[in-house]
Amino acid sequence: MNTVASSYRLPEAKAAVVALRAEGLGKAYGPITVLSDVTLDVLSGEVHAIIGENGAGKSTLMKLLSGYVAPTVGQLALESGPVDFANAVEAENAGIVLVHQEILLAADLSVAENLFLGREIGRGLMVDDRAMNRRAAELLARVGSTARPRDRVGDLPLAQRQLVQIARALLEERKVVILDEPTAVLANDEVAALLDIVRSLRDHGVAVLYISHRLDEVQALADRITVLRDGRMIGTWPGASLNQREMAELMVGRKLEMLYPHKRPPTTAAPILSVTNLSVDHAETKVSFSVSPGEVLGIGGMIGAGRTEAIEGLMGLRPSQAERVVLQGKEITNRSVGALMDAGLVYLTEDRKGKGLLLEQRLAPNLTLQALDSTNPGVVLDRRGETARLEKAVEDYDIRVRSLRLEAGQLSGGNQQKLLLAKVMLSDPSVIIIDEPTRGIDIGNKSQIYDFIDAMVRSGKACIVISSEMSELVGLADRVIVMRGGEIVAELRGEDINEENVVYAATTGGYGSAENH
Amino acid sequence: MSLATTTIAPAGEESRIRWADLAPFIALALIVLFGALVNSNFVSSANLLNVITRSAFIAIIGVGATFVISSGGLDLSVGSMMAFITGIMIMAMNYLAPAFGPWAIPMGAGVALIVGSLCGLFNGLIVTMGRIEPFIVTLGTMGIFRAFITFMTDGGSLSIDRSLREAYRPVYFGNFLGVPYPVLITFAVVMVGAFLLYKTKYGRRLTSAGSNVEVARFSGVNVAKVRTIAYVIQGFCVAVAAICYVPRLGAATPTTGQLWELQVITAVVIGGTLLRGGRGRIGGTVAGALILEVIANVMVLSDMVSEYLVAAVQGAIIIIAMLAHRFTANR
Amino acid sequence: MSLATTTIAPAGEESRIRWADLAPFIALALIVLFGALVNSNFVSSANLLNVITRSAFIAIIGVGATFVISSGGLDLSVGSMMAFITGIMIMAMNYLAPAFGPWAIPMGAGVALIVGSLCGLFNGLIVTMGRIEPFIVTLGTMGIFRAFITFMTDGGSLSIDRSLREAYRPVYFGNFLGVPYPVLITFAVVMVGAFLLYKTKYGRRLTSAGSNVEVARFSGVNVAKVRTIAYVIQGFCVAVAAICYVPRLGAATPTTGQLWELQVITAVVIGGTLLRGGRGRIGGTVAGALILEVIANVMVLSDMVSEYLVAAVQGAIIIIAMLAHRFTANR
Amino acid sequence: QDRNITMAVSIPAATHGWTGGVVYHAEQAEKEIEAAFPNIDVVLSTASSATAQVSSLEDLSSTRKLDALVILPFTSEELTGPVAQVKEKGTFIAVVDRGLADPSIQDLYVAGDNIAVGANTATWLSDKLGGEGEIVVLRGIPTVIDDERIKGFSDVIGKTKIKILDIQYANWNQDEAFKLMQDYLAKYPKIDAVWANDDDMLLGVIEAVDQAGRKDIKYALGGNGMKQVIEMVKEGDERTPVSTPYPPSMIKSAMYMTAAQFAGQAPMRGSFLLGAPLITPENADQFYFPESPF
Ligand SMILES: Nc1ncnc2c1ncn2[C@@H]1O[C@H](COP(=O)(O)OP(=O)(O)OP(=O)(O)O)[C@@H](O)[C@H]1O
Ligand SMILES: Nc1ncnc2c1ncn2[C@@H]1O[C@H](COP(=O)(O)OP(=O)(O)OP(=O)(O)O)[C@@H](O)[C@H]1O
Ligand SMILES: [Mg+2]
Ligand SMILES: [Mg+2]
């Protein structure tokens, strides 16, 4: 069940209407130019993909097009003529809506309240909550979300929040819908539903701008593809004319190696981490799993399967009980992030904005926050060492920054992810659990991260990868456990690890449970 | 758990939310129960009516504060503002009394409402236009209003004209079908406040501004306007409280309304409104105001503590009440 | 890939940040200038020394408050805590004086530091373990400490033994090479505070907890511990202030330290620390404390305003200072 | 003409009725003295706490030469040291109301008698009640003044069979006194008399008693001689037939005496104790100042 259909759709020959045009668009923050000279036509009824490496300027371009950020040079034009948007609301009124890469919702409000914020349904001053809840339920169903209109957004898992954002974009008739990495936090099912929505928008004559690092999606969807590199526009190609490898090479400007590293030989070593009967948030369900040195354990499942919850429970970040947790031969009784880190186990969260990085602080404090004790022997901070570490991390993880003095929130999404990885790796752990390791990472860097995980595991460490990207699990993991409803429903090894099996187990809970349990 | 609801919502989650919302009312019930055990006079209808009537001021001002706080602001000036408005109102009434007789009362009340709204507007504009911490702004205006009332009274007191006194008295001391007027007024203010906060676009936008300014702004909410209006509502509520307050003692002094700001904020927070903004609970605020007043009343009625330690016991009870409802609400 | 490297630190941004950091000092300079124009005596060294020495209390307590506030907390109890510690210290000294003579002074000071730290610990534990709004907790302990000092003084005053008075006096009135001791002590507190906040792991963790609790938690920061320690530091600083304070007035009364909490928070916020946490500015806090004290001094020296309106002018100046530095800092 | 003599006046800020009266009379005296004695410059400074008062003393004495200081200290103990420092520079010291801990510092001392305020009221009350009955008391703000009044009162009452049912703080605040009295009334079905220690609070007390319609309360007394209460006394109110003076105008007297010192008519030194005679309908006119805010 591959979510990505393989039919190509050629651009229509009929006279295209330019829904939105950018002429010589550019943006500079102070002396730093992050985008220059972009000239682009977006046509009604096309899916126009924008691809590029992390930090290439994709999100910046989208913010310029949708009025969130004012360009420093250049001009926007609609069908009706040139425009200057004073703010995002003006752009929305002109029919242009942006779904942000980073979640932008009010956590204290309900889903319906968020959806209709600023454009509430109602008579006069009053709001009509009934009508809004009803309409919200429809929209949520349309995007395939299981959230309910009255749920508080702050209580929802990340994926659901993303779907709420997408639902908001569909609230009204739009001329241009911009989706900035909408699928980064989604799993296969939701992705498929989203791609259908995108197609139906296109068929209704809407112009869709689509950013993704998942090139299979781009290939399946895009009528035209524009490539950005290092803040400049490289060019626009018909979607059908590029295959994924060509896209990747245009993005990075060089030939690419193969994506996934070769699998390691099966390991026979005793587990380095074993978890027995872990239950989280006072739930009935329990999970047990283990990972050995030299092994990558994948955890698959649909969103809401309880993977993140289980691991957060393991790390002592949620209320949890466990019968036994053994790490490097020692039984762990005090499960707190600090104690586990000292014992060699670290966790990289999927929610980099909410739980991963201090967006208002500079890069160096962010990098060293978790490993303060191991990088600073005394009580005093080693500032020089910190700078050196940051320089090294920037180099090792290829974090694209134009200045080391930026705040973390000023990095592009993918570079934030790399900074986060550098942060948890700083304590030199023996076991690392990564939740969605390549969320928002461009294809060139993806293979870098895979290689990185491979090298780490080969040196006798262990890695647990939670991923909603099936191909990632398949390409990377030596063993995959699949979760559903808070329980482990299947365990796959060797040849059994393929997308069909993972998806089947995740949706039906059926596959292989008999053989493997 | 076995609530027969119409929704298919999992019972656990829904009821947890309701529990947390009920917490201030449960705390109130417990304190009332305690009061009844300590002193049998506590539950006499005269005493209960007194206490409820007395809590009207903090409750009314608290409704306004719920708006300000859920928008992410704070107003420390309400106590002094109340004194200032009281002073202006008395001066207006005394000035108008010779010409208009008892009509001076509603006219003075009108003046109070206008002045109150303007005071609120002033706070709101400095906070939003000047983009200064509300804490600092309203600490500043707290000093300003307090100085004005001291100046107006020459440090002494400013009494309402004797001719108006009798006509005005019932607004505090009178009742309608046994319900004292201040309670009725509080009820009206709460209803209007709850309607504004929960049922109007304005309320929705206000809460969003308190929850996440960026999101609100990007959704087309005029955050500055919404917040400024919250301060105006606060000022208006203070004026309403002042209108109920004057007939009680018939005078304004430099100590009128002193430290009320702290009581108001405490009532609002005990009631379940988030101090960082994003969630407002009007009903809870009223419960909070009652809790404060009942605790003070029980302290006097019970003979348990030395007069020196009353403040300590009050402080401790508030902390314990919060702790208790934290652990019953379990989150 | 023409990645710009680390060497191209944009000058513009750097200097903008510095400007914002300098704002409180610029405001201070302007007010000093104004003072000099209003009254030539203002710049006399005797007067300036007095003002600086006096601001020591708020500055020292403010250093502690900078920790609490940048960790995302708040402490309204500092004023009462100060009175309580003063009371305990005087009682300890008077008790020890007959046996130990002047040695009772350092011993009493030691008691004060311990009691102060314990008071802070108490606040911190209730806030972190009980997970209650710091505003409510410290409002409660404010009442508790105030009641304790009222109880200890029987509503009157508690004076230090005459035999100790002379020996202790220099701690406030004496100087070392012309620099008054309280100024030296403030300097030491500021240095230690700045070191802790900016140069240690603890300071880093504290700021991260104030900036985003979840991120701090996920990074293995023991948020409860870090915050509790901030309150302990606050308590310790209050005790240091109390040690400097007693020789000045020689007694504790139920009104000692009243409303200092508001002054302290104002100084901290004027100094550039964010009230919502995540950024602390120790140097700015000291500038803030000086600003408050200088304004009060200029008010006394200039005969311009009616006695009743002093508070109004002070409030207005603070607001205007904040507005001015908002618009110069341009953000 | 040069004003070559500086007279500093340091008083508490107008935070409630009585201190409001002090500020009022001080401001009046400032105007009158500056008009009457062209060579005297009066510098008035108010302070909201003992600490602030010490600060303003430092400010005044460090920036100019003070020839005289008239001070109404917040508290005796706390201000003793700072005033002594001023005196060291040769300043003439006039202390009003509360004496310093070291009386040798004061050249001139004009004082009310807080103990007498309490004691005289108590004596009158125990007379009227025939030495027995049940009463309630409201205290002000925990300070020395309040302490002394309560001490004077309870010492006298202690020698009778009168029982003090309850005593609580109401912070010299009308509003809090109103609430406290309501609670007293709810708690005690029979109260013979109430003493509010201050006329500001008395007004709140009377309001609460009237509202409850309680007839058992024979006397409701205050103190300080606030003008509204003196009006009641003059009108022969049955419940409040007396008050005790504690005139805020004593600051004015002290300022005049100090000015006279420099005008050279007479050397004014020593102690002047104002008594606290009962104000009754007969002598009320003497204590009635309609223009004063208090
Ligand atoms: N406010 C800012 N100040 C300074 N630089 C910024 C700011 N915002 C973004 N940048 C820089 O602009 C560049 C482009 O960022 P952008 O978010 O557009 O990248 P992107 O193509 O969306 O990358 P990704 O795929 O990682 O999301 C980055 O180098 C980023 O650091
Ligand atoms: N639509 C929803 N509404 C409410 N709660 C949900 C919803 N979806 C999931 N949850 C809650 O979240 C829990 C699991 O979410 P979690 O984020 O841990 O899943 P996951 O398997 O890590 O998925 P992913 O990482 O792909 O988001 C579920 O057990 C459920 O309690
Ligand atoms: Mg991006
Ligand atoms: Mg997850």
Side-chain angles (χ1 to χ4, degrees):
Chain A
M1 196 193 108
N2 198 327
T3 55
V4 177
S6 51
S7 67
Y8 295 111
R9 186 177 179 280
L10 294 168
E12 307 281 328
K14 69 178 182 204
V17 180
V18 178
L20 179 65
R21 169 195 291 267
E23 279 235 22
L25 217 53
K27 176 71 193 173
Y29 288 104
I32 315 175
T33 302
V34 297
L35 199 67
S36 55
D37 200 23
V38 175
T39 299
L40 188 69
D41 282 343
V42 188
L43 309 178
S44 295
E46 77 162 344
V47 175
H48 194 135
I50 310 284
I51 60 172
E53 287 184 292
N54 294 133
K58 304 180 293 298
S59 300
T60 307
L61 176 57
M62 298 306 117
K63 288 180 191 158
L64 296 181
L65 296 179
S66 57
Y68 281 84
V69 172
T72 25
V73 292
Q75 180 68 51
L76 288 179
L78 295 174
E79 210 183 319
S80 51
V83 278
D84 285 307
F85 297 129
N87 53 46
V89 180
E90 273 187 19
E92 264 188 45
N93 291 339
I96 302 170
V97 65
L98 167 63
V99 175
H100 281 263
Q101 179 176 11
E102 308 293 345
I103 307 286
L104 205 53
L105 295 170
D108 298 297
L109 302 192
S110 75
V111 170
E113 287 169 352
N114 264 290
L115 285 177
F116 290 95
L117 184 57
R119 40 189 65 70
E120 296 84 359
I121 303 180
R123 270 163 284 120
L125 289 174
M126 278 178 66
V127 287
D128 183 350
D129 275 316
R130 277 254 199 88
M132 286 194 282
N133 285 339
R134 207 179 320 118
R135 183 97 175 78
E138 284 166 27
L139 283 168
L140 290 170
R142 185 168 168 209
V143 297
S145 164
T146 57
R148 288 160 310 197
R150 289 169 186 278
D151 286 344
R152 187 178 163 272
V153 161
D155 295 335
L156 291 180
L158 207 51
Q160 296 296 343
R161 282 184 245 171
Q162 173 69 317
L163 291 176
V164 172
Q165 286 208 117
I166 293 169
R168 188 177 168 278
L170 305 178
L171 198 59
E172 288 165 19
E173 293 264 303
R174 314 284 189 184
K175 291 203 181 70
V176 182
V177 172
I178 306 174
L179 301 168
D180 192 350
E181 299 196 32
T183 53
V185 299
L186 300 184
N188 282 21
D189 260 16
E190 289 87 0
V191 172
L194 179 66
L195 297 194
D196 284 342
I197 292 171
V198 171
R199 289 194 186 95
S200 102
L201 285 174
R202 170 182 65 192
D203 295 343
H204 283 87
V206 176
V208 181
L209 273 161
Y210 192 88
I211 298 179
S212 180
H213 289 299
R214 299 186 181 177
L215 297 180
D216 51 348
E217 289 168 7
V218 172
Q219 193 168 39
L221 271 183
D223 299 311
R224 291 197 296 160
I225 299 172
T226 292
V227 182
L228 292 185
R229 193 195 303 151
D230 203 21
R232 283 170 208 288
M233 197 171 132
I234 302 301
T236 300
W237 285 265
S241 70
L242 298 176
N243 64 27
Q244 291 187 31
R245 173 172 291 266
E246 286 164 340
M247 288 183 217
E249 285 175 5
L250 281 171
M251 279 163 57
V252 301
R254 63 189 147 89
K255 293 268 177 228
L256 268 184
E257 308 303 307
M258 80 164 271
L259 193 55
Y260 293 104
H262 291 289
K263 289 264 170 106
R264 299 148 298 273
T267 161
T268 49
I272 185 169
L273 167 71
S274 76
V275 178
T276 317
N277 287 337
L278 172 74
S279 71
V280 181
D281 286 349
H282 315 289
E284 305 276 297
T285 54
K286 294 186 163 69
V287 294
S288 305
F289 57 88
S290 64
V291 62
S292 302
E295 185 185 41
V296 175
L297 172 68
I299 305 183
M302 314 300 294
I303 30 165
R307 297 166 297 173
T308 301
E309 280 191 339
I311 297 302
E312 286 183 356
L314 172 66
M315 301 302 292
L317 293 163
R318 281 172 185 267
S320 64
Q321 295 81 43
E323 197 180 304
R324 235 170 111 76
V325 175
V326 178
L327 181 58
Q328 309 212 61
K330 276 189 274 249
E331 175 149 7
I332 305 284
T333 46
N334 167 19
R335 280 186 287 119
S336 71
V337 174
L340 289 168
M341 183 175 63
D342 293 342
L345 171 65
V346 296
Y347 167 60
L348 192 157
T349 174
E350 62 176 344
D351 183 1
R352 63 169 170 255
K353 190 179 178 187
K355 297 168 176 172
L357 294 174
L358 299 169
L359 300 178
E360 296 164 351
Q361 309 266 348
R362 298 230 174 127
L363 304 183
N366 266 296
L367 178 70
T368 55
L369 181 60
Q370 183 153 359
L372 275 179
D373 281 327
S374 50
T375 54
N376 300 279
V379 291
V380 186
L381 287 175
D382 171 12
R383 291 274 186 132
R384 267 220 217 108
E386 196 170 79
T387 313
R389 276 191 195 91
L390 179 59
E391 279 165 3
K392 184 162 179 323
V394 164
E395 175 114 18
D396 288 354
Y397 297 85
D398 195 18
I399 304 172
R400 308 287 168 85
V401 285
R402 289 174 162 83
S403 157
L404 291 186
R405 295 186 184 280
L406 288 186
E407 288 167 12
Q410 292 171 326
L411 291 189
S412 81
N415 284 310
Q416 287 179 17
Q417 183 74 16
K418 291 187 231 168
L419 178 64
L420 190 55
L421 182 61
K423 168 181 162 179
V424 297
M425 291 307 295
L426 201 59
S427 67
D428 193 23
S430 329
V431 184
I432 173 168
I433 305 174
I434 311 184
D435 203 347
E436 310 292 356
T438 57
R439 170 167 293 170
I441 297 270
D442 72 50
I443 186 144
N445 285 299
K446 244 182 198 174
S447 55
Q448 241 176 314
I449 288 184
Y450 297 146
D451 289 341
F452 181 82
I453 292 175
D454 182 56
M456 195 180 83
V457 169
R458 278 178 200 278
S459 73
K461 298 178 176 183
C463 183
I464 298 177
V465 172
I466 301 176
S467 178
S468 301
E469 221 175 303
M470 296 302 160
S471 58
E472 193 166 276
L473 284 179
V474 172
L476 207 55
D478 301 304
R479 192 156 56 89
V480 173
I481 53 180
V482 181
M483 285 184 69
R484 183 163 184 272
E487 283 176 307
I488 297 176
V489 292
E491 178 167 339
L492 307 171
R493 294 171 188 274
E495 295 299 304
D496 283 346
I497 305 178
N498 59 46
E499 296 197 14
E500 282 76 19
N501 284 342
V502 175
V503 170
Y504 187 70
T507 47
T508 66
Y511 176 86
S513 37
E515 297 137 73
N516 289 301
H517 271 186
Chain B
M1 282 285 252
S2 62
L3 284 176
T5 47
T6 50
T7 50
I8 12 161
E13 194 190 335
E14 280 295 296
S15 64
R16 195 192 60 208
I17 292 174
R18 292 229 183 93
W19 265 96
D21 277 359
L22 283 183
F25 299 95
I26 296 170
L28 176 60
L30 288 178
I31 294 171
V32 167
L33 200 73
F34 175 76
L37 292 178
V38 163
N39 189 320
S40 57
N41 292 323
F42 174 77
V43 283
S44 74
S45 73
N47 185 55
L48 287 181
L49 271 185
N50 276 344
V51 173
I52 295 172
T53 314
R54 255 145 51 173
S55 65
F57 309 123
I58 299 295
I60 293 173
I61 301 179
V63 169
T66 308
F67 280 84
V68 170
I69 293 176
S70 38
S71 83
L74 192 72
D75 193 342
L76 293 174
S77 72
V78 288
S80 324
M81 193 197 284
M82 149 92 191
F84 173 64
I85 296 173
T86 307
I88 293 272
M89 181 164 63
I90 291 178
M91 282 169 68
M93 287 183 183
N94 290 355
Y95 177 79
L96 296 169
F100 298 92
W103 283 106
I105 295 172
M107 290 165 81
V111 170
L113 294 176
I114 294 168
V115 172
S117 307
L118 289 177
C119 290
L121 184 67
F122 181 69
N123 277 334
L125 287 179
I126 299 182
V127 168
T128 55
M129 297 291 125
R131 277 171 298 148
I132 310 182
E133 284 281 3
F135 189 98
I136 298 293
V137 172
T138 57
L139 192 68
T141 53
M142 166 174 151
I144 295 177
F145 293 135
R146 183 62 67 196
F148 283 173
I149 181 69
T150 311
F151 183 72
M152 282 156 53
T153 59
D154 267 348
S157 83
L158 194 63
S159 310
I160 192 165
D161 204 295
R162 262 161 203 278
S163 65
L164 299 175
R165 193 82 213 257
E166 278 313 302
Y168 197 177
R169 257 181 77 88
V171 174
Y172 185 79
F173 293 101
N175 64 63
F176 178 74
L177 303 178
V179 186
Y181 284 120
V183 176
L184 289 176
I185 295 174
T186 309
F187 186 76
V189 169
V190 167
M191 282 296 127
V192 174
F195 175 78
L196 264 179
L197 191 58
Y198 302 130
K199 298 285 172 201
T200 65
K201 295 179 188 175
Y202 169 71
R204 210 38 73 69
R205 292 175 184 178
L206 181 87
T207 323
S208 77
S211 178
N212 188 327
V213 192
E214 224 189 356
V215 170
R217 196 169 292 135
F218 287 153
S219 303
V221 175
N222 186 336
V223 174
K225 185 170 130 197
V226 157
R227 287 207 167 138
T228 307
I229 293 177
Y231 281 96
V232 174
I233 293 175
Q234 171 74 87
F236 188 87
C237 287
V238 172
V240 173
I243 292 171
C244 301
Y245 176 85
V246 169
R248 174 154 133 186
L249 296 175
T253 71
T255 55
T256 300
Q258 218 165 29
L259 297 186
W260 282 20
E261 51 279 353
L262 294 183
Q263 286 196 49
V264 167
I265 297 171
T266 310
V268 170
V269 175
I270 290 182
T273 298
L274 288 180
L275 200 50
R276 63 165 168 80
R279 187 175 81 193
R281 292 280 176 274
I282 301 254
T285 297
V286 176
L290 281 166
I291 288 177
L292 295 182
E293 211 56 69
V294 171
I295 290 178
N297 179 253
V298 172
M299 293 304 306
V300 176
L301 292 191
S302 79
D303 253 333
M304 295 184 298
V305 281
S306 137
E307 82 234 46
Y308 300 124
L309 291 178
V310 172
V313 178
Q314 286 190 9
I317 291 181
I318 291 170
I319 293 179
I320 292 168
M322 292 291 284
L323 274 176
H325 95 54
R326 167 77 63 239
F327 287 111
T328 51
N330 209 357
R331 190 181 131 114
Chain C
M1 207 112 320
S2 64
L3 275 183
T5 46
T6 60
T7 44
I8 325 175
E13 191 192 338
E14 274 300 291
S15 63
R16 194 191 60 206
I17 290 172
R18 288 224 186 96
W19 264 97
D21 277 358
L22 282 182
F25 299 95
I26 297 171
L28 177 60
L30 288 179
I31 294 171
V32 167
L33 200 74
F34 174 76
L37 292 178
V38 163
N39 188 320
S40 57
N41 294 321
F42 174 77
V43 286
S44 73
S45 74
N47 184 55
L48 286 181
L49 268 186
N50 278 343
V51 174
I52 296 172
T53 314
R54 228 183 266 160
S55 65
F57 309 124
I58 298 295
I60 293 173
I61 301 178
V63 169
T66 308
F67 280 84
V68 170
I69 293 175
S70 38
S71 82
L74 192 71
D75 193 343
L76 293 175
S77 72
V78 289
S80 324
M81 194 196 287
M82 149 95 190
F84 173 63
I85 297 174
T86 307
I88 292 272
M89 180 163 67
I90 290 178
M91 282 168 69
M93 287 182 182
N94 290 355
Y95 177 79
L96 296 168
F100 299 93
W103 284 106
I105 295 171
M107 290 165 81
V111 170
L113 293 176
I114 293 167
V115 172
S117 307
L118 289 177
C119 291
L121 184 66
F122 181 70
N123 276 335
L125 287 180
I126 299 181
V127 167
T128 56
M129 297 292 124
R131 278 171 298 147
I132 310 182
E133 283 282 1
F135 188 97
I136 297 293
V137 172
T138 57
L139 192 67
T141 54
M142 167 173 150
I144 295 177
F145 294 135
R146 185 59 70 198
F148 284 174
I149 181 69
T150 310
F151 183 72
M152 283 156 53
T153 59
D154 269 345
S157 85
L158 195 62
S159 315
I160 192 164
D161 203 295
R162 289 200 166 255
S163 66
L164 299 174
R165 196 89 211 247
E166 278 312 301
Y168 198 179
R169 259 182 73 87
V171 174
Y172 184 81
F173 293 99
N175 64 63
F176 177 76
L177 303 178
V179 186
Y181 283 121
V183 177
L184 289 176
I185 294 174
T186 309
F187 187 76
V189 170
V190 166
M191 283 295 127
V192 174
F195 175 78
L196 263 178
L197 191 57
Y198 302 129
K199 301 281 177 198
T200 66
K201 295 191 269 192
Y202 169 70
R204 202 38 92 59
R205 290 185 170 132
L206 182 86
T207 322
S208 77
S211 182
N212 186 331
V213 193
E214 282 295 287
V215 172
R217 222 161 62 85
F218 272 68
S219 305
V221 173
N222 187 336
V223 175
K225 184 170 132 194
V226 156
R227 286 206 169 140
T228 307
I229 294 177
Y231 281 96
V232 174
I233 294 175
Q234 171 73 85
F236 188 88
C237 287
V238 172
V240 173
I243 292 170
C244 300
Y245 176 85
V246 169
R248 183 164 184 216
L249 298 182
T253 71
T255 53
T256 299
Q258 218 165 29
L259 296 186
W260 282 22
E261 52 279 353
L262 294 182
Q263 285 196 51
V264 166
I265 297 171
T266 309
V268 170
V269 175
I270 290 183
T273 299
L274 289 182
L275 200 49
R276 63 175 159 78
R279 188 176 79 192
R281 291 280 176 274
I282 301 253
T285 297
V286 176
L290 281 167
I291 289 177
L292 295 183
E293 214 51 75
V294 170
I295 292 177
N297 179 253
V298 173
M299 297 301 308
V300 173
L301 294 189
S302 78
D303 247 339
M304 294 186 298
V305 280
S306 146
E307 310 308 324
Y308 300 121
L309 292 178
V310 172
V313 177
Q314 287 189 6
I317 291 181
I318 290 170
I319 293 179
I320 292 168
M322 290 292 284
L323 274 177
H325 93 54
R326 168 74 66 237
F327 287 111
T328 51
N330 210 357
R331 184 181 130 114
Chain D
Q1 189 175 352
D2 252 326
R3 296 186 183 273
N4 49 18
I5 291 177
T6 305
M7 172 165 130
V9 181
S10 171
I11 51 179
T15 53
H16 61 272
W18 193 78
T19 47
V22 171
V23 174
Y24 171 83
H25 286 290
E27 287 197 329
Q28 295 299 314
E30 174 178 10
K31 278 186 214 122
E32 293 170 16
I33 290 173
E34 286 187 346
F37 306 92
N39 59 336
I40 296 183
D41 181 19
V42 178
V43 183
L44 188 59
S45 159
T46 61
S48 54
S49 67
T51 322
Q53 192 170 31
V54 174
S55 298
S56 74
L57 280 191
E58 287 173 359
D59 291 345
L60 293 170
S61 66
S62 73
T63 52
R64 58 191 112 192
K65 179 174 179 325
L66 298 184
D67 299 287
L69 170 69
V70 181
I71 180 167
L72 198 166
F74 253 85
T75 55
S76 313
E77 286 292 343
E78 292 173 303
L79 269 300
T80 300
V83 174
Q85 276 197 315
V86 177
K87 171 143 182 132
E88 276 166 22
K89 297 183 188 166
T91 304
F92 176 87
I93 305 288
V95 177
V96 182
D97 188 21
R98 256 150 280 158
L100 298 175
D102 175 2
S104 67
I105 300 168
Q106 354 184 104
D107 295 304
L108 177 65
Y109 178 46
V110 180
D113 188 346
N114 277 307
I115 295 205
V117 168
N120 292 351
T121 311
T123 311
W124 184 88
L125 194 61
S126 92
D127 259 14
K128 291 286 173 185
L129 293 177
E132 56 186 18
E134 296 180 321
I135 62 172
V136 291
V137 176
L138 291 86
R139 307 191 66 158
I141 293 172
T143 56
V144 180
I145 313 166
D146 180 71
D147 232 28
E148 288 178 353
R149 283 188 193 177
I150 295 294
K151 187 175 182 312
F153 186 83
S154 35
D155 282 354
V156 172
I157 293 293
K159 294 183 193 119
T160 69
K161 289 208 202 79
I162 296 175
K163 182 165 178 242
I164 298 183
L165 293 171
D166 220 325
I167 180 162
Q168 301 276 349
Y169 285 105
N171 299 325
W172 284 326
N173 181 317
Q174 276 188 25
D175 205 47
E176 288 180 46
F178 172 82
K179 292 188 192 180
L180 181 56
M181 194 61 207
Q182 274 194 337
D183 291 347
Y184 279 162
L185 291 170
K187 188 175 178 184
Y188 303 105
K190 182 174 167 296
I191 298 172
D192 291 307
V194 44
W195 183 51
N197 154 342
D198 168 89
D199 285 341
D200 235 341
M201 293 198 289
L202 179 63
L203 295 181
V205 165
I206 287 174
E207 208 62 59
V209 174
D210 285 348
Q211 179 218 4
R214 287 271 291 258
K215 301 291 176 228
D216 52 324
I217 292 157
K218 301 188 195 78
Y219 301 107
L221 305 180
N224 271 6
M226 183 182 194
K227 80 179 170 198
Q228 284 91 332
V229 173
I230 294 188
E231 281 166 15
M232 290 164 67
V233 172
K234 283 209 305 185
E235 286 161 15
D237 191 291
E238 287 199 1
R239 211 171 27 192
T240 310
V242 297
S243 184
T244 30
Y246 196 75
S249 59
M250 65 179 78
I251 188 77
K252 194 170 185 175
S253 317
M255 285 167 71
Y256 265 108
M257 289 190 217
T258 307
Q261 166 81 17
F262 288 94
Q265 287 103 326
M268 301 294 268
R269 285 178 193 271
S271 288
F272 299 83
L273 261 189
L274 308 176
L278 286 179
I279 304 175
T280 56
E282 293 75 46
N283 66 0
D285 277 332
Q286 277 174 252
F287 298 95
Y288 186 57
F289 306 98
E291 304 82 40
S292 160
F294 183 72

